[in-house]
Amino acid sequence: MRELYRADLERLGRDLTEIARLVHRAMMDAQAALEAADVHGAERVISEDARIDQLQESLDEQAVRILALQAPVATDLRTVVATLRMSSSLERMGDLARHVAQLTRLRYPEHVIPEQVRTVITAMCDAAVEVAEEVVLLLETQDLAHGDRIDALNEDVNALHLSVFRAIAAPDWSATPATTTDVTLASRYLERFTDHGLSVAAKVRYLVTGEWATHRPDATGS
């Protein structure tokens, strides 16, 4: 019975990492579709989000079953509860990648992002993809250096997010209301994506060290 219990805990970890890999792929593909105005790539991201949702639901059911049948304590209890919370963050990251893809589909065949802020949004996308990759590595290895990298990338994205709002508020901003809305949403989706990656990193750090790191509020109040 104890061997089955340990196997169930190990399966939780494997499934959580698999969700993280799918989230990484989703953001990579969402960025590619956004930059190329590729509606077919966007549709793939949108349709494949269902797999992330299904895996998250399955993982949560496993975790609840372990809590109900095995009554874990101490480290095991923290692991199961943290896994439930991390799976929620990863599922939300998948949703945010899907939202970026939905912007591409909505504006096809036009590009979503105007030239004026394209470099900034590209940098935010690059950082979001790297955050997702670092989350995978962190879950695989529990090496907190990956958590430190996520923290640094999140700070970069917060600064870029603020620069988008400054660009929109500048006197020379001439985009249409629809484009302005799209840019605002894209920036917000990417900023929230990295915030959720930071949340996952904080929970892994807690499991490894026993210390809980509180979020530092950014200038947007998110």
Side-chain angles (χ1 to χ4, degrees):
M1 179 66 72
R2 204 64 187 171
E3 290 179 0
L4 289 174
Y5 169 56
R6 301 314 307 179
D8 285 344
L9 287 177
E10 290 172 4
R11 182 184 172 192
L12 276 186
R14 288 195 303 271
D15 287 354
L16 191 69
T17 303
E18 178 59 21
I19 295 171
R21 291 193 188 102
L22 291 175
V23 167
H24 178 221
R25 170 57 60 185
M27 183 49 76
M28 287 179 63
D29 291 348
Q31 177 181 11
L34 181 72
E35 293 177 353
D38 177 6
V39 71
H40 299 296
E43 290 284 6
R44 282 195 301 274
V45 174
I46 294 164
S47 63
E48 289 173 7
D49 183 57
R51 175 153 173 73
I52 295 173
D53 294 343
Q54 290 165 1
L55 275 175
Q56 191 241 347
E57 290 172 8
S58 174
L59 183 149
D60 287 359
E61 288 172 2
Q62 293 175 55
V64 170
R65 187 164 56 249
I66 289 172
L67 290 171
L69 299 180
Q70 302 292 347
V73 296
T75 300
D76 288 348
L77 178 60
R78 290 198 300 271
T79 298
V80 175
V81 173
T83 297
L84 279 167
R85 297 182 67 182
M86 286 189 281
S87 75
S88 178
S89 290
L90 289 169
E91 188 273 336
R92 185 59 185 149
M93 290 169 78
D95 286 346
L96 290 161
R98 187 190 74 224
H99 292 338
V100 172
Q102 287 171 328
L103 288 175
T104 300
R105 182 176 67 179
L106 177 66
R107 300 304 175 194
Y108 177 80
E110 302 298 325
H111 283 270
V112 174
I113 308 301
E115 187 66 33
Q116 204 167 349
V117 292
R118 198 165 292 168
T119 299
V120 176
I121 296 297
T122 295
M124 294 182 75
C125 286
D126 288 343
V129 169
E130 189 174 350
V131 162
E133 181 180 14
E134 292 292 337
V135 166
V136 173
L137 294 171
L138 179 61
L139 292 173
E140 288 177 338
T141 67
Q142 295 199 336
D143 180 347
L144 297 182
H146 297 298
D148 293 339
R149 180 60 180 156
I150 291 168
D151 193 2
L153 288 164
N154 184 67
E155 292 291 329
D156 291 343
V157 169
N158 287 343
L160 291 166
H161 183 50
L162 285 176
S163 76
V164 170
F165 282 94
R166 293 191 189 101
I168 290 171
D172 63 344
W173 181 259
S174 58
T176 65
T179 296
T180 301
T181 299
D182 290 344
V183 169
T184 303
L185 288 173
S187 182
R188 181 60 172 167
Y189 295 153
L190 294 165
E191 185 264 342
R192 291 302 297 148
F193 184 94
T194 61
D195 272 356
H196 282 288
L198 187 64
S199 179
V200 172
K203 292 173 181 64
V204 174
R205 188 177 300 278
Y206 171 67
L207 290 175
V208 172
T209 68
E211 299 175 359
W212 186 253
T214 57
H215 277 248
R216 295 187 300 274
D218 62 34
T220 65
S222 60

